[in-house]
Every structure is written in C-alpha cells, then in structure tokens.
Amino acid sequence: MSDSTTPAQSVTGERADLLETLAKHRHFLRLTTRDLTDEQAGQRTTVSELCLGGLIKHVTSVERGWADFIVEGPSAMPDFASMTEEDFARRADEFRMLPGETLAGVLKEYAEVARRTDELVAALPSLDADHPLPKAPWFEPRARWSARRVLLHVIAETAQHAGHADIIRESLDGAKSMG
C-alpha cells in the first residue's frame, strides 16, 4: 500500500509542517486497510454504518471538497439548505462500499486526491487566502476560512476518522494500527 506523494522539495516551513501532519494521518488511515479483502473493507463491525472502505471514501470526498473550496470558494460546496432526501442518501453512500467498488480502487482515488491537495498547497500564493463558508447549520454565520484553516480542518477530519478506522479494524480481526 503506497502513501501519497511527498510534497515538492521546495515546500518548507508552515506548509511543510501542515503537509507532513496530513500525510501522517493519511498513512494511519490507509494502514487500517492493510491485507484486507474487498469484503472485509465493506464489513461493518460496530452498530454504526461505518466500514473501512467507506471511511476512506468519505475522507477522500471531504478532502476533495475542501481543496475545491480553497480554489473556488463556497460555490464548490453543496447548498446544504436545499439538499433533498436523495442528496442525503447519495451522501450516505460515501460511508459504504457499494457493489463494484474495490478497496484498491478506493485507495487509488484517495491517493490521487491527496496528491492534488499536496500540489495545491505547494502552489498557493498564500495560506491566508480565504472565502466565506457556505450556509450550513454547522458553520458560524458569515464566517470565512483561510486555506490554512481548511487544511487544519482536513487534518482534524482525517485524524478523527483514522481513529474510527482503528476501532473498526480491531473489531474486525484484532489488528491494530498503533500499539
């Protein structure tokens, strides 16, 4: 299982720190899927809907969406206020391995998104560039997030789901990512 590409050698300082931290948490998330079959990657091991392949899909979608936000602003995000039941059902499919999906395919897509994010961070003129957040019940009204704040959010989301994945994997077959 390969990790995402290393950011350009010219990235230093804060950007290097952010990308290194994100790469570490991506690694731990991917590590939870080592040596699994597609069936195991789609298996629920707790009362939640979460499975390992679904978590990888979700984190991929989240990272892609926030990278798009850095570039395009709130128009890159869904209009949460007008989402339909069908939209929410499609969004729930992020957390499941669907028929025809493979663990290798899910991991490949994650690596592609990670590579794009790393390249974006390396090329940004400034981490201070910001956009207003889209309207959503979970965002503070009229808040703006800088590229830096978005990256911190992606790091936190990845780390949180790596922890979820570790619990799911340990419940699946006793394997641990750490410890």
Side-chain angles (χ1 to χ4, degrees), residues 55-68 91 94 109-110 113:
L55 277 174
I56 300 284
K57 285 175 54 179
H58 172 66
V59 172
T60 300
S61 175
V62 166
E63 185 169 326
R64 179 188 300 112
W66 282 110
D68 290 346
R91 196 167 163 94
E94 282 183 4
E109 185 174 354
Y110 188 38
V113 167

Side-chain angles (χ1 to χ4, degrees), residues 24-38:
K24 177 180 76 171
H25 293 295
R26 287 177 184 143
H27 166 76
F28 284 123
L29 178 58
R30 283 189 304 272
L31 184 63
T32 63
T33 66
R34 71 194 175 285
D35 304 322
L36 291 181
T37 65
D38 294 336

Side-chain angles (χ1 to χ4, degrees), residues 136-154:
W138 47 87
F139 292 137
E140 178 183 332
R142 295 175 299 286
R144 298 180 69 88
W145 278 12
S146 66
R148 176 184 300 101
R149 177 66 184 89
V150 167
L151 290 169
L152 290 170
H153 178 74
V154 170

Side-chain angles (χ1 to χ4, degrees), residues 5-177:
T5 58
T6 305
Q9 295 297 335
S10 62
V11 176
T12 60
E14 179 183 20
R15 290 173 200 240
D17 291 345
L18 289 167
L19 290 175
E20 182 181 329
T21 301
L22 181 54
K24 177 180 76 171
H25 293 295
R26 287 177 184 143
H27 166 76
F28 284 123
L29 178 58
R30 283 189 304 272
L31 184 63
T32 63
T33 66
R34 71 194 175 285
D35 304 322
L36 291 181
T37 65
D38 294 336
E39 182 179 281
Q40 289 171 311
Q43 187 175 340
R44 292 174 44 205
T45 63
T46 67
V47 297
S48 81
E49 291 291 322
L50 301 177
C51 66
L52 292 171
L55 277 174
I56 300 284
K57 285 175 54 179
H58 172 66
V59 172
T60 300
S61 175
V62 166
E63 185 169 326
R64 179 188 300 112
W66 282 110
D68 290 346
F69 174 83
I70 289 172
V71 175
E72 301 168 29
S75 66
M77 306 293 257
D79 179 354
F80 297 105
S82 66
M83 285 180 68
T84 65
E85 289 299 318
E86 185 178 303
D87 294 329
F88 282 110
R90 228 183 347 269
R91 196 167 163 94
D93 283 344
E94 282 183 4
F95 293 96
R96 295 187 268 280
M97 292 283 287
L98 301 177
E101 291 181 329
T102 64
L103 179 58
V106 168
L107 289 168
K108 180 181 179 194
E109 185 174 354
Y110 188 38
E112 290 167 2
V113 167
R115 186 173 31 262
R116 176 182 173 241
T117 301
D118 292 352
E119 290 170 357
L120 173 64
V121 172
L124 282 173
S126 171
L127 293 176
D128 293 324
D130 68 349
H131 295 290
L133 290 173
K135 290 181 181 174
W138 47 87
F139 292 137
E140 178 183 332
R142 295 175 299 286
R144 298 180 69 88
W145 278 12
S146 66
R148 176 184 300 101
R149 177 66 184 89
V150 167
L151 290 169
L152 290 170
H153 178 74
V154 170
I155 290 167
E157 178 99 6
T158 304
Q160 178 179 4
H161 288 310
H164 293 147
D166 200 36
I167 291 167
I168 292 168
R169 179 60 191 258
E170 191 171 350
S171 298
L172 181 66
D173 65 1
K176 297 178 183 179
S177 298

